[in-house]
């Protein structure tokens, strides 16, 4: 705010002095500039996050948002965070691609006096103002328990992981292992699919080749819906009808993505992973207005299956 105060007064002064009875420039209302570093916009979930941020920010005329898209490149994201600091923004929101490489840029921004909200994927350590995200460990555990129920406690499965250098993937894996503990479910094939549908489709095609029998693969646990859909597509393309016998579980539950796949009977279940966009803006306003906020803000989840999809899923 302090950084912006001078510019603000100049804009107001110019508007008042020069414009007669014209309306002052709209930037005269801007009090805070928030920079948002999004790790990519190639995935629908991230487009939704930016839309949620924009919708929440539009309720505050005193906020101006600057969006940066790192195009799934860690180095680009590192320099974009630095650029936002150099642009003297009042607060940064970052949804980091990977934990370790983005830890220092975030810590440097904090050291330069810019508060940082870390959204969805974590950085390491505690040099950030606030983390907002879903409980990935719990989502993984619930997915594991659901899988046990779906398979009657036994069967060979494929795990299509998210990018393992990002925290949700490790947490979704660990939680799932807890959820299936004590059952006779065995992960016979697992791969890092980097959260990407084409990678998941390719890995699933390999899994199907390696386990060619009708009952060799009972189910797929995918760390996000694009990967679950990629796996389903690979099974369909194989041409043996295994997409109808293999069970598929995903995570994200966007209405136009995972929830639609459940409704269309491609997926057996999807677990909602909220984007946290509106919570990030509400929290940013509190920070900018000098209020203290919790270090960790953890969002809830819902499960969508064919039994409950019509009623909007079930809260967990
Ligand atoms: C989008 C995404 C989501 C996933 C989240 C985890 O980039 O892969 O599908 O739930 O990131 O950070």
């Amino acid at each position: 705010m302090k950084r912006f105060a001078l510019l603000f007064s100049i804009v107001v002064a110019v508007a008042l002095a020069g414009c007669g009875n014209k309306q002052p420039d709209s930037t005269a209302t801007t009090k805070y500039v928030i920079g948002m570093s999004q790790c990519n916009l190639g995935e629908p979930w991230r487009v939704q996050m930016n839309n949620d941020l924009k919708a929440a920010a539009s309720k505050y005329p005193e906020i101006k948002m600057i969006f940066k898209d790192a195009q799934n490149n860690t180095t680009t994201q590192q320099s974009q965070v630095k650029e936002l600091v150099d642009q003297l923004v009042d607060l940064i929101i970052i949804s980091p691609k990977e934990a370790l490489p983005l830890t220092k840029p975030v810590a440097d921004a904090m050291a330069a006096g810019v508060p940082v909200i870390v959204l969805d994927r974590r950085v390491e350590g505690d040099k950030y103002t606030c983390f907002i995200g879903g409980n990935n460990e719990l989502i993984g555990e619930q997915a594991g328990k659901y899988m046990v129920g779906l398979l009657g406690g036994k069967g060979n499965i494929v795990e299509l992981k998210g990018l393992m250098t990002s925290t949700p993937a490790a947490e979704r894996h660990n939680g799932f292992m807890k959820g299936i503990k004590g059952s006779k479910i065995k992960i016979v094939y697992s791969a890092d699919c980097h959260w990407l549908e084409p990678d998941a489709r390719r890995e699933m095609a390999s899994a199907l080749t390696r386990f060619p029998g009708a009952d060799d693969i009972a189910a797929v646990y995918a760390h996000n819906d694009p990967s679950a859909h990629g796996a389903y597509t690979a099974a369909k393309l194989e041409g043996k009808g295994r997409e109808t016998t293999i069970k598929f579980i995903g995570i994200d539950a966007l209405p136009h993505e995972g929830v639609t796949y459940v409704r269309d009977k491609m997926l057996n279940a999807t677990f909602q992973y909220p984007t946290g966009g509106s919570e990030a803006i509400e929290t940013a306003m509190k920070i900018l207005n000098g209020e203290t906020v919790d270090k960790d803000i953890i969002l809830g989840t819902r499960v969508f299956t064919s039994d409950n999809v019509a009623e909007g899923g079930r809260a967990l």
Side-chain angles (χ1 to χ4, degrees):
M1 175 174 68
K2 280 165 240 105
R3 301 147 190 276
F4 213 72
L6 179 63
L7 178 62
F8 177 66
S9 352
I10 294 170
V11 171
V12 171
V14 169
L16 291 178
C19 296
N21 58 3
K22 272 195 261 161
Q23 289 294 311
D25 190 288
S26 68
T27 53
T29 55
T30 303
K31 195 169 161 199
Y32 301 122
V33 178
I34 299 179
M36 164 62 189
S37 169
Q38 180 59 273
C39 75
N40 76 74
L41 282 175
E43 296 169 69
W45 189 86
R46 302 217 161 258
V47 174
Q48 186 62 48
M49 184 197 276
N50 275 18
N51 288 343
D52 292 346
L53 285 162
K54 280 177 201 158
S58 71
K59 293 188 209 125
Y60 298 96
E62 67 270 41
I63 300 181
K64 178 177 181 289
M65 300 282 304
I66 299 175
F67 285 92
K68 291 198 182 273
D69 168 15
Q71 300 188 330
N72 228 11
N73 183 314
T74 299
T75 316
T76 305
Q77 194 166 32
Q78 288 170 326
S79 41
Q80 287 181 345
V81 174
K82 195 173 170 310
E83 277 164 33
L84 288 171
V85 175
D86 293 344
Q87 276 178 269
L88 305 180
V89 298
D90 295 290
L91 183 142
I92 291 174
I93 300 173
I94 177 172
S95 196
K97 178 173 178 193
E98 295 174 279
L100 186 59
L102 271 314
T103 299
K104 185 163 165 10
V106 168
D108 289 347
M110 293 285 287
V114 185
V116 183
I117 296 177
V118 178
L119 193 52
D120 142 55
R121 301 183 187 171
R122 290 178 182 272
V123 291
E124 305 216 331
D126 62 357
K127 293 204 173 63
Y128 56 86
T129 310
C130 166
F131 168 79
I132 302 176
N135 187 339
N136 286 297
E137 178 112 16
L138 177 81
I139 291 174
E141 187 174 350
Q142 293 292 338
K145 288 190 171 145
Y146 182 81
M147 183 70 91
V148 174
L150 199 60
L151 301 186
K154 58 175 191 308
N156 291 343
I157 68 163
V158 170
E159 183 180 15
L160 299 177
K161 296 171 173 165
L163 178 71
M164 287 305 276
T165 48
S166 68
T167 53
E171 292 162 359
R172 289 176 194 183
H173 170 75
N174 294 341
F176 185 78
M177 296 314 284
K178 251 200 224 168
I180 62 168
K181 203 168 171 204
S183 74
K184 294 207 175 72
I185 288 173
K186 202 167 140 218
I187 300 170
V188 292
Y189 187 100
S190 95
D192 187 331
C193 299
H194 317 104
W195 303 115
L196 302 174
E197 173 152 358
D199 295 30
R201 195 200 280 202
R202 201 176 49 241
E203 290 295 348
M204 185 65 187
S206 303
L208 291 162
T209 310
R210 192 138 132 213
F211 299 96
D215 302 322
D216 286 354
I217 298 172
V220 174
Y221 166 50
H223 286 197
N224 67 357
D225 290 336
S227 301
H229 187 254
Y232 174 88
T233 309
K236 197 163 177 185
L237 282 173
E238 190 200 28
K240 296 186 195 163
R242 285 208 273 177
E243 76 280 8
T244 58
T245 54
I246 297 174
K247 319 269 189 217
F248 298 89
I249 298 179
I251 296 171
D252 278 348
L254 286 182
H256 49 288
E257 198 185 41
V259 172
T260 303
Y261 300 153
V262 169
R263 199 173 289 122
D264 293 349
K265 308 256 182 307
M266 295 185 220
L267 304 191
N268 294 77
T270 178
F271 292 77
Q272 184 199 27
Y273 188 56
T275 68
S278 69
E279 291 81 357
I281 295 297
E282 299 309 325
T283 308
M285 288 313 289
K286 288 188 186 155
I287 295 168
L288 291 166
N289 289 322
E291 290 174 44
T292 32
V293 298
D294 289 343
K295 186 90 184 176
D296 266 36
I297 298 176
I298 305 301
L299 310 169
T301 183
R302 304 178 76 77
V303 60
F304 293 81
T305 62
S306 55
D307 295 342
N308 68 25
V309 69
E311 297 97 60
R314 179 170 56 83
L316 288 173

